[in-house]
Amino acid sequence: MSKKIVIIDYGMGNHFSIQKKMNRLGYNALVTNDAKLISNAEKIILPGVGHFGKAMENLHQLNLVETLNKEVLQKKKPILGICLGMQLMATSSEEGGTKGLNWIDAVVKKFSITDQLKYKVPHTGWNQIKRIKNSKLLNGLTDSPEFYFVHSYYFNCKNNVDALCSTNYESEFISAIEHENVFGVQFHPEKSHDTGMQLLKNFIEL
Amino acid sequence: MLKKRIIPCLDIKDGRTVKGINFVDIKDAGDPIELAKNYVEQGADELVFLDITATIENRSTLIELVQRIAKEINIPFTVGGGINSVEDVAKLIEAGADKVSVNSSAVKRPELITEISNQFGSQCVVVAIDTKCINEEWKVFVQGGRTLTPLKTVEWAKQVEQLGAGEILLTSMNNDGTKAGFAIDITNEVSAAVNIPVIASGGAGSKEHFKNVFEQTQATGGLAASIFHYGEIPIPDLKEYLKEQKLAIR
C-alpha cells in the first residue's frame, strides 16, 4: 500500500524490528534521517531505546530537531513515539538532565520504588494498560490489553488531558499519550504480539 | 500488574536448536525459527537464543539467524553466546535482537557490562550467571559451566547490577537438566539482593516448579528448554495452571 511512513533513524536502536512489522502489516516503511524523505512522509515513527541525553545529542547532530518540529508542530503530521521515542517528546528528562523536544508539557522521571523487593527496575515484561480517554489508536483492543515494557524512566504529564493510558507498577504511571497529532507509547507495540500489531495498524490508518 | 514471564530458551549450534543435559550431552530439537514461531503462538512471553558454538567462523551464521528471527517473531528476544565486545553487540542489535546476554566475557572483563549499557542502554544487557553450590557455597562458573571462578554468586549479581546490567539470567547447574525444580534458595537470595529483574533457570520439570519459583522467590521470569522443546509441558497448559494458582500471567 502506498501510505508513506518513515521511521526515524538516529542511531538509537530497534528500527529494524519496527520496519519488519510494518512490512508484515502490508506497508512499506522507510528507515531514514533524510529531511526530504521525512518531509514527504504522511506518518512518522520515532523509535528509540537507550539514554535520553545521547538520543537528544544524536537528534541535534543530525539536524533532526528542526525537521521534526516543522513536520510535527507546523504541518501537524501524525507521529508515534515508541519507548524512548515517546519520552523525547517531553520538556526534559532526569536522565542526563537534558531538554527534550518539548512537544508535550512533561518531565521524564526515574521510577521511585518503595517496595524494591517486589518491584524491580527496569520495569520489564508484560503489563496491562488502562484507558484514560478514547482514541482511534486503541481501536479493536480489549479494555485492558497487555503490552511489553522495558524502561527505568516514566513520562510524567503536567496536563492530564494529554494522558491516553496508564499502567500500574507499584503506582500508576502514564503509559501512552495523545496530544493532537502527537502520540506516544511507553511500551513496545512491535514486540507485543498481535495486540501490538493492532496498535501499529491503528496508527497507520489514523 | 506486571506478569510473570514464561521464557523458552533455544540453544543454537551451527544454526540448529540443541539442548545440553547437564551442559554435556546434546540432542537435536529442530529448526530454531519454526520452534520460535511455535512458541510465540503458544503464548511464550519472551525468547532466549544461546549460541553455544560461537566460533568466529560461525558468527555470520548467527547474525543471519537473528535477522530471520526478528523478521518472523513479534515478541522480545535475547541473544547470547560468544559476545566479547561492544562491536559484537552492535551487530546483534542491528540484526534485530532486543537484548544480548553476556556470561564468561563479563567475568573476564566486567567493564564490558558498562560499555554495552552506556552504548545501548541497560535494558539490553542481560548478564547470565551459571552457578553451582560447592561446599554449601554458591559459586560462579564460566565457559559453559566448565570452569569454576572465585566469585560468589550473590556478590557477583550485586556487582553486575552496579555495572549496568538490566537483568540477570540465573542458571543453577545443580538443577539444570534434572527436572527436579528450580533452585529456590539461590534464586531467592539473588532476586532479593538486587533491584533488577531476575530470570530463574535450570531444573524446570513440572508446572508446580514454575508456581514454586514465582511464589517463593522474587524471580520475574522462569526459563526452560527441554520441557518445552519436547512438548512435555505445553505452554498454554502451563499458563492456564499458573493463572488458576492466582499468579499474574499473560
Side-chain angles (χ1 to χ4, degrees), chain A residues 14-57:
Chain A
N14 89 336
H15 37 69
F16 181 85
S17 302
I18 300 170
Q19 188 185 31
K20 292 297 159 205
K21 301 309 170 304
M22 289 294 156
N23 295 348
R24 196 190 280 201
L25 287 167
Y27 300 100
N28 273 321
L30 222 51
V31 175
T32 185
N33 51 35
D34 183 291
K36 208 170 185 178
L37 293 172
I38 297 169
S39 170
N40 284 332
E42 292 166 47
K43 297 257 160 58
I44 303 170
I45 294 176
L46 184 61
V49 290
H51 193 272
F52 189 102
K54 175 99 168 75
M56 284 309 297
E57 192 185 307

Side-chain angles (χ1 to χ4, degrees), chain B residues 33-234:
Chain B
I33 303 283
E34 287 310 306
L35 200 52
K37 280 164 76 175
N38 186 19
Y39 285 147
V40 173
E41 290 320 308
Q42 285 184 34
D45 295 307
E46 202 168 318
L47 296 173
V48 171
F49 296 86
L50 285 181
D51 187 30
I52 57 171
T53 27
T55 53
I56 292 154
E57 55 271 28
N58 283 325
R59 293 304 290 180
S60 57
T61 319
L62 180 65
I63 300 294
E64 280 165 35
L65 181 65
V66 170
Q67 283 174 339
R68 285 176 58 212
I69 297 163
K71 197 175 152 194
E72 297 287 346
I73 73 166
N74 50 11
I75 63 169
F77 68 98
T78 301
V79 179
I83 295 166
N84 292 305
S85 67
V86 171
E87 290 71 37
D88 291 341
V89 176
K91 282 182 199 147
L92 291 167
I93 299 285
E94 276 163 29
D98 298 293
K99 313 179 199 181
V100 294
S101 87
V102 289
N103 189 335
S104 310
S105 56
V107 170
K108 196 174 164 191
R109 207 171 62 81
E111 316 85 88
L112 179 64
I113 298 168
T114 313
E115 290 167 13
I116 303 169
S117 176
N118 285 346
Q119 187 74 29
F120 303 100
S122 65
Q123 84 293 329
C124 96
V125 195
V126 180
V127 175
I129 303 178
D130 292 337
T131 184
K132 193 174 182 177
C133 192
I134 297 170
N135 300 327
E136 297 182 7
E137 197 168 44
W138 288 94
K139 301 296 269 290
V140 176
F141 279 70
V142 293
Q143 308 299 333
R146 288 189 294 272
T147 311
L148 171 68
T149 73
L151 295 169
K152 291 179 187 171
T153 304
V154 174
E155 296 310 312
W156 175 234
K158 286 187 192 166
Q159 197 187 336
V160 304
E161 178 183 19
Q162 290 304 315
L163 290 165
E167 199 160 50
I168 290 171
L169 169 56
L170 183 70
T171 302
S172 163
M173 295 168 58
N174 299 71
N175 301 59
D176 197 61
T178 64
K179 295 186 183 171
F182 292 100
I184 298 293
D185 50 353
I186 189 63
T187 306
N188 191 35
E189 252 189 276
V190 170
S191 61
V194 298
N195 188 32
I196 53 177
V198 174
I199 298 166
S201 156
S206 73
K207 295 185 265 196
E208 289 75 17
H209 293 153
F210 284 89
K211 173 185 188 263
N212 293 343
V213 81
F214 291 147
E215 283 184 350
Q216 295 169 30
T217 79
Q218 302 299 327
T220 56
L223 178 142
S226 55
I227 55 159
F228 297 138
H229 290 204
Y230 300 114
E232 290 164 31
I233 302 180

Side-chain angles (χ1 to χ4, degrees), chain A residues 98-109:
Chain A
T98 317
K99 284 203 160 49
L101 291 164
N102 196 24
W103 297 338
I104 308 279
D105 194 359
V107 176
V108 176
K109 294 186 161 184

Side-chain angles (χ1 to χ4, degrees), chain A residues 45-98:
Chain A
I45 294 176
L46 184 61
V49 290
H51 193 272
F52 189 102
K54 175 99 168 75
M56 284 309 297
E57 192 185 307
N58 289 6
L59 286 179
H60 280 293
Q61 269 176 6
L62 292 161
N63 286 321
L64 281 168
V65 176
E66 205 182 321
T67 306
L68 288 172
N69 277 338
K70 190 174 150 204
E71 299 303 317
V72 174
L73 301 178
Q74 288 173 32
K75 291 159 79 177
K76 299 283 179 195
K77 226 170 247 184
I79 182 164
L80 177 68
I82 297 175
C83 196
L84 178 62
M86 164 189 175
Q87 297 185 352
L88 297 175
M89 296 168 166
T91 314
S92 66
S93 173
E94 288 181 359
E95 189 178 23
T98 317

Side-chain angles (χ1 to χ4, degrees), chain A residues 145-190:
Chain A
E146 293 158 333
F147 287 94
Y148 189 87
F149 289 82
V150 53
H151 61 121
S152 303
Y153 291 78
Y154 68 97
F155 197 94
N156 193 21
C157 290
K158 291 266 168 61
N159 303 314
N160 286 337
V161 67
D162 296 331
L164 176 58
C165 299
S166 72
T167 293
N168 191 282
Y169 196 55
E170 192 177 55
S171 52
E172 294 284 320
F173 70 91
I174 302 303
S175 49
I177 49 162
E178 178 177 343
H179 178 93
E180 298 176 357
N181 55 320
V182 178
F183 298 82
V185 291
Q186 181 58 66
F187 46 83
H188 287 274
E190 79 282 10

